[in-house]
Amino acid sequence: FAPAAAAAMARIPRHWPAALQSWVGGKFAPAAGSATRIPLVSAVSGEQYGEFEAADREQVDHAVQVAAEAQREWAKWCPTDRGRVLRRAADILTERNDELAQLETLDTSRPIQETDCVDIVSARDALEYYGGLAPTIGGDFIHQPNRSWAYTVREPLGVTCG
């Protein structure tokens, strides 16, 4: 694995910031003044190839608030448009597959043949699948025995964090 990791380190995209930051509201969000910086270290060579600025509680709360606001807007979109966004995200993964696979190899020390043909591709496949599925999601109308009825509505509900 060492040659693959070494090659990946040599090809780290130079447009990435030296210290990665949280992505909030469509842009990088710098951490507060003396934020903890987490070193990003190659599992193979032990070489540090970057840092990540850890968000504090206030920044996480802000990110969740921004995401909740964005989700309310997303829920207003018609399913076809939401599907288009997911399919476009899949296209971006395809366009940047090589770069993302190199970063994944660097981060995990897995062979480039695996990250190139499995990781990014499977993420793309999931986005394409759900992008195609989005316009077909609907609810059900269910007749009940006592002449009443019930229905289901499938809609975006809220923010998740990971």
Side-chain angles (χ1 to χ4, degrees):
F1 299 135
M9 289 192 76
R11 295 187 304 259
I12 293 174
R14 295 300 158 210
H15 62 273
W16 286 77
L20 295 176
Q21 301 167 339
S22 299
W23 185 259
V24 178
K27 61 184 183 260
F28 285 112
S34 60
T36 300
R37 290 181 176 237
I38 300 167
L40 302 174
V41 177
S42 167
V44 172
S45 69
E47 184 179 344
Q48 182 173 332
Y49 61 90
E51 295 177 317
F52 181 80
E53 293 180 357
D56 63 18
R57 181 182 199 86
E58 183 178 310
Q59 290 167 307
V60 170
D61 289 344
H62 173 70
V64 170
Q65 178 185 5
V66 169
E69 292 167 8
Q71 190 281 328
R72 283 190 287 278
E73 290 302 311
W74 175 258
K76 293 177 188 176
W77 289 23
C78 73
T80 302
D81 289 341
R82 290 194 301 258
R84 282 188 189 109
V85 169
L86 294 176
R87 289 191 308 277
R88 177 62 187 128
D91 291 344
I92 291 169
L93 286 180
T94 299
E95 292 163 10
R96 300 186 70 182
N97 184 75
D98 292 346
E99 175 184 0
L100 294 169
Q102 290 166 11
L103 287 168
E104 184 67 3
T105 291
L106 182 62
D107 189 47
T108 63
S109 75
R110 291 177 35 241
I112 190 75
Q113 299 87 341
E114 194 173 306
T115 59
D116 185 54
C117 299
V118 177
D119 293 12
I120 314 309
V121 173
S122 62
R124 179 209 62 209
D125 289 349
L127 288 169
E128 284 180 344
Y129 174 79
Y130 288 111
L133 186 64
T136 69
I137 296 173
D140 294 310
F141 182 84
I142 306 153
H143 289 282
Q144 301 293 315
N146 61 357
R147 296 184 163 253
S148 66
W149 50 272
Y151 67 92
T152 62
V153 176
R154 292 181 175 91
E155 59 189 3
L157 292 179
V159 175
T160 61
C161 294

